[in-house]
Amino acid sequence: MLKHDGRAPRYTSYPTAVQFSTDVGPAEYCDWLVALPQDKAVSLYVHVPFCTRLCWYCGCNTRVVNRPEPIGEYVRYLLREVELVARKLDGRRPASGLHLGGGTPNTLTVEELQAVFGALGREFAFTDDMEIAAELDPASLTKSWVDAAGALGLNRASLGVQTLDPKVQAAVNRNETFEQIDECVAALRSIRVRSLNLDLMYGLPHQTTQSVLDTIDAILAFRPERLALFGYAHVPWMKSHQKLIAESALPGPAERLEQALMAEEKLIGEGYVSIGLDHFALPHDELARAKADHRLRRNFQGYTTDSAGTLIGFGASAIGALPGGYVQNHTQELPWRQAIDRGEAPIARGVAISEDDRFRAEIIERLMCDFAVDLEAVCGRHQTRSPAELSGAIEKLQPFLDDRLVGIDGSYIQVLPAGRPLVRSISACFDTYFQPEALRHSRAV
């Protein structure tokens, strides 16, 4: 299996962010906003690019801020961006989902959080069953913040745990205790968060299979509805702070694979359902039910039950997904603010989606979500397409077929259990943009 462990996209979109360019900007985005159907609910994403500490493994767009002024200024511009985008929409659109990501959304004060919700609530009609989620850092999460978020409707939360091994924590500059996690979980349970996720990682410096399993053993006491187990992506050429991590301390490919497989075995043994590449959920959770019903989707937040056809992003670096294509705001705050001062949507780049992109996106999403795809059925939904057009992709699958990592029966392709850790590389066979020799992606396992 490890001979196939090259670099591959995570396929949280197709085309992937590597294909984004300045050919798509504010004008195209506004055209796409205007064209949105009136009666279809959208999802909203708000990016908060601040943290109280710098975790050396981090691949997010964030910076450490320990003063209130920069965050307050950012929120003032964020509210202006919401108004600016809303003016492009003809009427108050229904919103069925809101995700707060970062960075650390709980760096916002309670008053700032309320202001953001107020602005979004004025411009969008929150549906009764709206899912409101936030990614939270246990080190700075307070009961008062949780209570305020609960009053605003927070019903799903994700806590970053990563590891409870002190040696590994020291190697990535992220120290927290089991007791801190316990307090945060209790606070979130007190507001009746219906689905709690804990983020874990493998492949970190000095991490061993046993330390991964020890962390799992500890956090299972909380019985979270969901768990995410991400492989550390070491890309110091993209994230310079990762140079602070000693490469000699990183587990090798075989060790990483063992950590992932043993953790999966442990979680399944504890009653969790394996969801796609790196998520797990209890059988009653909506994520597990979506998997069972083949409704599972994949977007920039990973595996999701969100069925909205449009995601509108707010904040520096936020990504939006619309029927016309993908857009990304300026990643740096200064040009993001300057665009808003000009009365412009702060779009830096994006990509328009072609019919061929939509066709291949469905194939890749089904492989990533279901580990299987019926090419003939997908072609039927895209009418003018034929499985014969995919002969080149099938050819690329041959090495996986030879090693019994993939099964092919007519037009039906199945990723076999042994091949599931390599589903990103298998999906890449259908990606016409993918350049395996380019150092643009993390390793597949």
Side-chain angles (χ1 to χ4, degrees):
M1 182 195 295
L2 289 174
K3 71 180 183 182
H4 300 289
D5 180 27
R7 298 184 183 276
R10 292 188 179 273
Y11 291 116
T12 52
S13 71
Y14 184 82
T16 68
V18 170
Q19 275 68 57
F20 290 12
S21 77
T22 54
D23 291 344
V24 167
E28 289 76 14
Y29 180 45
C30 290
D31 288 344
W32 293 344
L33 285 171
V34 169
L36 289 176
Q38 287 276 4
D39 58 339
K40 295 288 176 66
V42 301
S43 276
L44 310 173
Y45 174 75
V46 175
H47 191 78
V48 180
F50 306 110
C51 291
T52 57
R53 56 181 174 176
L54 176 63
C55 304
W56 296 344
Y57 60 77
C58 184
C60 301
N61 183 68
T62 188
R63 64 188 176 100
V64 175
V65 172
N66 289 306
R67 295 185 300 113
E69 292 82 9
I71 301 176
E73 179 74 353
Y74 181 84
V75 170
R76 285 189 284 277
Y77 272 89
L78 190 63
L79 304 185
R80 289 173 59 189
E81 184 188 1
V82 171
E83 291 178 5
L84 190 156
V85 170
R87 284 201 299 271
K88 306 298 180 183
L89 298 170
D90 183 17
R92 193 163 168 253
R93 301 302 172 93
S96 58
L98 168 57
H99 190 102
L100 305 177
T104 305
N106 52 295
T107 54
L108 300 183
T109 65
V110 166
E111 293 74 22
E112 288 163 348
L113 183 69
Q114 291 168 336
V116 170
F117 270 75
L120 292 171
R122 283 190 295 274
E123 306 297 354
F124 297 91
F126 291 3
T127 61
D128 291 340
D129 61 348
M130 187 181 198
E131 181 177 275
I132 300 177
E135 300 168 12
L136 306 170
D137 183 356
S140 54
L141 187 63
T142 63
K143 181 69 165 63
S144 59
W145 197 98
V146 171
D147 288 343
L152 293 167
L154 183 74
N155 51 32
R156 191 167 76 76
S158 183
L159 282 173
V161 176
Q162 322 313 348
T163 177
L164 291 174
D165 183 331
K167 184 177 182 181
V168 181
Q169 288 181 341
V172 295
N173 195 42
R174 184 186 176 95
N175 298 309
E176 59 204 14
T177 65
F178 176 85
E179 288 71 27
Q180 282 178 301
I181 307 295
D182 189 22
E183 288 177 10
C184 294
V185 170
L188 291 164
R189 293 297 191 199
S190 74
I191 62 165
R192 289 183 164 78
V193 163
R194 68 171 183 246
S195 186
L196 175 64
N197 173 75
L198 299 184
D199 281 345
L200 305 178
M201 293 187 79
Y202 68 89
L204 291 170
H206 302 297
Q207 206 167 21
T208 65
T209 299
Q210 191 57 53
S211 70
V212 172
L213 295 177
D214 287 345
T215 292
I216 291 173
D217 276 332
I219 58 92
L220 282 174
F222 306 126
R223 204 65 180 166
E225 284 76 16
R226 301 180 187 181
L227 284 159
L229 179 69
F230 298 117
Y232 167 58
H234 192 60
V235 287
W237 57 90
M238 293 172 61
K239 297 293 178 179
S240 59
H241 55 262
Q242 291 189 353
K243 293 175 184 175
L244 296 168
I245 290 177
E247 291 196 22
S248 60
L250 293 172
E255 294 171 280
R256 283 174 61 95
L257 179 60
E258 181 185 64
Q259 289 174 16
L261 294 178
M262 293 298 289
E264 179 179 30
E265 182 180 312
K266 172 74 175 176
L267 290 170
I268 291 172
E270 293 289 340
Y272 285 84
V273 175
S274 178
I275 308 290
L277 182 64
D278 44 26
H279 285 50
F280 300 85
L282 291 174
H284 68 266
D285 187 81
E286 178 60 20
L287 202 63
R289 296 204 301 268
K291 179 196 173 179
D293 298 340
H294 301 286
R295 293 183 291 107
L296 195 62
R297 303 295 308 276
R298 190 156 171 84
N299 66 14
F300 294 101
Q301 280 77 56
Y303 290 103
T304 180
T305 60
D306 187 357
S307 61
T310 296
L311 172 68
I312 300 177
F314 299 101
S317 84
I319 293 178
L322 299 92
Y326 297 106
V327 291
Q328 184 175 26
N329 281 353
H330 290 282
T331 57
Q332 300 299 314
E333 291 167 53
L334 180 58
W336 173 73
R337 291 198 302 265
Q338 289 171 334
I340 293 170
D341 282 336
R342 293 193 300 269
E344 249 180 36
I347 302 300
R349 60 189 193 131
V351 62
I353 302 175
S354 69
E355 284 305 316
D356 185 66
D357 292 334
R358 291 187 180 90
F359 173 57
R360 292 174 182 275
E362 182 175 346
I363 294 170
I364 290 171
E365 185 174 48
R366 295 308 359 124
L367 284 170
M368 292 293 297
C369 292
D370 299 335
F371 292 123
V373 63
D374 186 336
L375 298 180
E376 194 168 338
V378 175
C379 288
R381 289 191 286 274
H382 291 262
Q383 297 178 348
T384 60
R385 309 308 294 256
S386 160
E389 298 174 50
L390 298 167
S391 58
I394 302 300
E395 225 174 276
K396 292 176 184 175
L397 284 174
Q398 191 61 48
F400 299 100
L401 189 66
D402 293 342
D403 289 343
R404 299 183 181 180
L405 303 172
V406 165
I408 301 179
D409 182 7
S411 68
Y412 187 77
I413 296 172
Q414 183 177 18
V415 182
L416 300 176
R420 290 180 180 181
L422 296 164
V423 66
R424 289 163 54 195
S425 295
I426 292 165
S427 298
C429 295
F430 294 90
D431 181 346
T432 58
Y433 304 102
F434 180 56
Q435 297 176 346
E437 69 283 353
L439 288 176
R440 292 174 168 175
H441 308 287
S442 61
R443 301 203 73 82
V445 175

